[in-house]
Amino acid sequence: MKNKKLYIVYILFLSTLSSQNAWYQGNLKGINDLSFELNIKGVKDDVWEKRVKSYVELKLLQQDIHLLDALVPRMALDINIIDSRVEKVSSFLVKLSIYGYNISETEYYKSFSESKITKNLMTTKIFSYEVMGQTDSEKLYKDIEKNIDYSISLFLNNWYNDNPRKQF
């Protein structure tokens, strides 16, 4: 009986180890260009909004990821802010998402050459990272910028994992 329980625990342990891969692993392969969309809700600060947008664009251009006006693949950076000047604590949500086709572009064009029309072409979320936090109202923008930087860095690390030749 004791060996049977140990065996079951061992099997469960091995199954959890093998299932710990990221759901987006491999989804960023072949992405060289992006369109970019910035959505800020909760505060109206045009100067800070332009600063965040130019920072993200420069960070991507630094890695040779060009920004286009195309619809897909699309990077969306959503920032929701509850700035409470009355209370000591303000809250924020930073969400970075990459949307792409659910089939690759080469498969899409291949279906045309084979006279096969793809009916289920949809845009899907191929990468996503969210950070929710609370901070002082005085440090709100600084903490949001730190989390934007971390989110972009995480995306770029995964992008380089899926596109290893882009490192050289």
Side-chain angles (χ1 to χ4, degrees), residues 22-31 73 98-102 124-128 155 158-159 162-163:
W23 64 270
Y24 50 78
Q25 196 168 23
N27 286 352
L28 302 174
K29 195 173 288 188
I31 291 180
I98 309 294
Y99 296 94
Y101 292 121
N102 64 349
T124 56
K125 193 181 290 188
I126 58 176
F127 178 85
S128 183
F155 161 72
N158 285 289
W159 184 76
D162 291 348
N163 300 293

Side-chain angles (χ1 to χ4, degrees), residues 106-118:
T106 55
E107 290 177 17
Y108 177 70
Y109 289 121
K110 185 179 173 185
S111 69
F112 280 123
S113 66
E114 296 174 352
S115 299
K116 206 173 40 168
I117 298 175
T118 306

Side-chain angles (χ1 to χ4, degrees), residues 59-110:
K59 190 87 165 166
L60 294 174
L61 285 174
Q62 189 177 32
Q63 307 303 322
D64 204 27
I65 300 174
H66 299 281
L67 296 174
L68 303 174
D69 291 332
L71 295 175
V72 176
R74 177 173 50 102
M75 173 185 278
L77 180 59
D78 299 314
I79 302 169
N80 297 312
I81 301 170
I82 299 174
D83 187 7
S84 177
R85 299 285 176 181
V86 178
E87 301 289 328
K88 286 187 175 184
V89 177
S90 295
S91 301
F92 64 90
L93 171 70
V94 175
K95 182 168 71 169
L96 177 71
S97 302
I98 309 294
Y99 296 94
Y101 292 121
N102 64 349
I103 62 170
S104 68
E105 191 173 352
T106 55
E107 290 177 17
Y108 177 70
Y109 289 121
K110 185 179 173 185

